[in-house]
Amino acid sequence: MGPEEFGPQVTSSSTPLDNPMSQFREVLAPYGTWMDLPDVGWVWRPDPNEVGVGFNPYSTAGRWVSSDWGWTFESDWNWGWAPFHYGRWFTTPEQGWLWWPDNEWAPAWVDWRWGNGFVGWKPLSPPGISTGLRWTFVSANNFVQPDVESHLLPEAQVQELMRQTQPVGEHVVAREGYWNRGPEPEEVARVTGQEVPLAQPMTPPTGHPPRASATGSEGAAPMQAGGSARPPDGR
C-alpha cells in the first residue's frame, strides 16, 4: 500500500516518515474510516464512538501547550501525533469532520485570534478546499487548562468574539500554505497570571533547522507524546 492510494493531492517531496500515507492508514484505521472523496482523494473520518459525537479537532480530548515552534495540541489519544501535527481538517455536511493526510509536520495546523481576554483558533483547511471552518473561543484564563473543550464558549458568541479579537501570531511558510505560532507565551502568562505549560521536546518541522533554544536536536530520538512530532521508527 503506497502513497498513490491516497490520491494525487498527497505529496511526498519531504520524508519525515517512511511511507507516511501507508503509516497513517495503519495507525488511524482502528479509530475511524478511510474514504475516497471525489475531487479530494483519500481522507479519514474519526469514529464517533472513539471521539464522541461532538468532536472538534484541536479541542476534544487534549490541551494547548507551548513549544519552541509555537502552540501545539497535546492530545489524550495515543494516535493524536498524526492528525493534530500532520495533514489538515475540514468538514462536509454529509460526513462531518474529515482529516486530509499529508506528511509535513507543524505544531498545529491552525490560525489564531487574541484580545480582550479571549483566545480563538480555527483549523487550516487543505490546499484548494474552502469549507468555511468555524472559529473556537475560550476565555484566556481557560486556554491552558486540561480538557480545553470543557471551557469552549457558546457558538452563539463567536461573531461577537470575532469583533473583540484580532489575528495574532507569526505565519511560518510551509510547503503548502503556512502554519501559525499563535500568541506569545509571555503574553498569555502576563494576561492570565498562570504558568504556561510546556511541550515535551520535539523534532523540528520539516525543512526547518532546530532553534537554538530547542531542548531536542536533529538526530535526537523523536518522542510520541501528545505534542510529539512523529512516531518512533518502525511503527
Side-chain angles (χ1 to χ4, degrees):
M1 185 179 299
E4 67 278 3
E5 296 194 38
F6 284 80
Q9 87 286 358
V10 173
T11 61
S12 54
S13 57
S14 59
T15 55
L17 302 172
D18 293 330
N19 301 317
M21 301 311 143
S22 176
Q23 192 165 44
F24 290 145
R25 184 162 194 155
E26 294 169 3
V27 168
L28 296 177
Y31 310 107
T33 303
W34 286 97
M35 57 185 65
D36 189 4
L37 295 185
D39 302 320
V40 176
W42 284 95
V43 296
W44 176 74
R45 181 180 64 185
D47 185 344
N49 292 323
E50 173 71 17
V51 301
V53 294
F55 169 76
N56 279 296
Y58 299 108
S59 297
T60 301
R63 70 183 303 185
W64 288 104
V65 296
S66 177
S67 78
D68 290 324
W69 300 98
W71 290 95
T72 187
F73 189 71
E74 193 172 77
S75 175
D76 295 339
W77 293 307
N78 62 6
W79 45 265
W81 63 265
F84 303 121
H85 298 292
Y86 296 91
R88 315 285 178 88
W89 288 91
F90 68 103
T91 60
T92 69
E94 299 80 13
Q95 306 295 345
W97 283 106
L98 300 170
W99 180 71
W100 173 84
D102 190 34
N103 59 9
E104 185 171 20
W105 180 91
W109 292 97
V110 301
D111 233 340
W112 293 93
R113 297 183 70 87
W114 171 264
N116 290 309
F118 300 102
V119 58
W121 60 92
K122 178 181 74 169
L124 294 166
S125 57
I129 296 179
S130 178
T131 59
L133 296 179
R134 61 184 179 272
W135 286 86
T136 296
F137 285 92
V138 295
S139 163
N141 288 329
N142 292 323
F143 174 48
V144 297
Q145 297 300 312
D147 187 23
V148 68
E149 183 180 44
S150 66
H151 301 287
L152 299 185
L153 295 170
E155 189 173 345
Q157 296 182 24
V158 167
Q159 289 305 314
E160 177 59 29
L161 292 168
M162 291 291 290
R163 288 188 285 269
Q164 294 190 40
T165 56
Q166 299 79 41
V168 70
E170 173 191 353
H171 285 190
V172 179
V173 176
R175 188 178 63 230
E176 294 282 356
Y178 65 89
W179 49 271
N180 188 334
R181 289 177 52 85
E184 289 297 325
E186 296 80 7
E187 178 68 4
V188 174
R190 185 190 69 80
V191 169
T192 64
Q194 301 173 23
E195 183 177 349
V196 171
L198 301 179
Q200 297 191 39
M202 57 180 64
T203 303
T206 305
H208 291 265
R211 290 176 178 263
S213 61
T215 304
S217 62
E218 287 185 314
M223 302 181 67
Q224 192 183 344
S228 65
R230 56 183 181 180
D233 293 338
R235 279 203 54 151

